Amino acid sequence: MTRRRTSSRAAAATAVLTGCALLLTGCGIKRTGVIESGHAASVKVPGSGKNTVLYFVSKEGDRLVPTPFTLFDGYTLGPAALVRLLLDGPTGRAGEAGLTTALPRLPAGTADAVAVSPYAQERGMTVRVPFPVGNLSALARKQLVCTVGVSAVADTLSPVILQGTDTTLPSDECDLNR
């Protein structure tokens, strides 16, 4: 029995020493500094009037997700129709993927009260909605600003002013990094 204990102790000591040696050598991996890899990836959804992008909230509720809305050839939606689609919330695959909206539903009978001013290069567009905008969350405001600012005028990132029943918010642009 003494011989068995001695050999098990020797095996245990060898295993401990081997483990320590591996930890001290670091498996041959040398330390490096920070490696610059460039800017974060961006997504460009092809459009040319056939695809429109609606911005919905991720199922985690922490960011906006661009969601393509495909139209038939030669058919485009006006900016007010885009806002009404956005206010209806995600449908189809977007809804199945768990996307949501931070925006309120349109009050009954007020769909015609949604309006978007014509695009002007110096000021962008104004979105008028039949509900208060002053207390909307940052994500809700960005849903409106990004959907209209990116999709309403082809190949243009337009500034957008939000106007509700309570106030008019300052002009904003779609910046998903804020």
Side-chain angles (χ1 to χ4, degrees):
M1 249 204 212
T2 310
R3 190 172 179 118
R4 211 183 254 178
R5 268 192 222 174
T6 305
S7 65
S8 357
R9 284 186 184 162
T14 303
V16 168
L17 287 174
T18 304
C20 289
L22 285 174
L23 286 173
L24 292 173
T25 61
C27 301
I29 298 173
K30 295 179 183 178
R31 290 188 83 141
T32 62
V34 175
I35 299 171
E36 295 294 329
S37 62
H39 296 288
S42 62
V43 177
K44 174 113 171 121
V45 178
S48 65
K50 295 178 186 163
N51 283 336
T52 299
V53 180
L54 302 173
Y55 286 82
F56 290 112
V57 179
S58 68
K59 64 181 174 182
E60 294 83 16
D62 61 347
R63 68 188 183 289
L64 293 185
V65 177
T67 308
F69 181 78
T70 305
L71 303 171
F72 300 106
D73 274 346
Y75 184 75
T76 59
L77 285 177
L82 291 176
V83 173
R84 285 191 292 271
L85 275 173
L86 186 65
L87 294 172
D88 284 342
T91 59
R93 290 186 180 157
E96 292 168 7
L99 299 182
T100 62
T101 184
L103 293 163
R105 292 266 185 206
L106 277 176
T110 61
D112 291 339
V114 172
V116 180
S117 70
Y119 171 75
Q121 188 172 1
E122 63 279 352
R123 73 179 190 327
M125 292 175 280
T126 299
V127 175
R128 288 179 205 89
V129 290
F131 52 82
V133 295
N135 290 329
L136 289 177
S137 70
L139 274 176
R141 289 191 307 271
K142 283 294 178 195
Q143 278 188 269
L144 286 165
V145 168
C146 289
T147 296
V148 173
V150 171
S151 296
V153 179
D155 300 322
T156 302
L157 179 60
S158 304
V160 176
I161 297 168
L162 298 179
Q163 185 177 51
T165 57
D166 60 340
T167 189
T168 300
L169 298 175
S171 177
D172 198 3
E173 287 186 0
C174 182
D175 181 0
L176 298 177
N177 296 322
R178 286 193 277 150

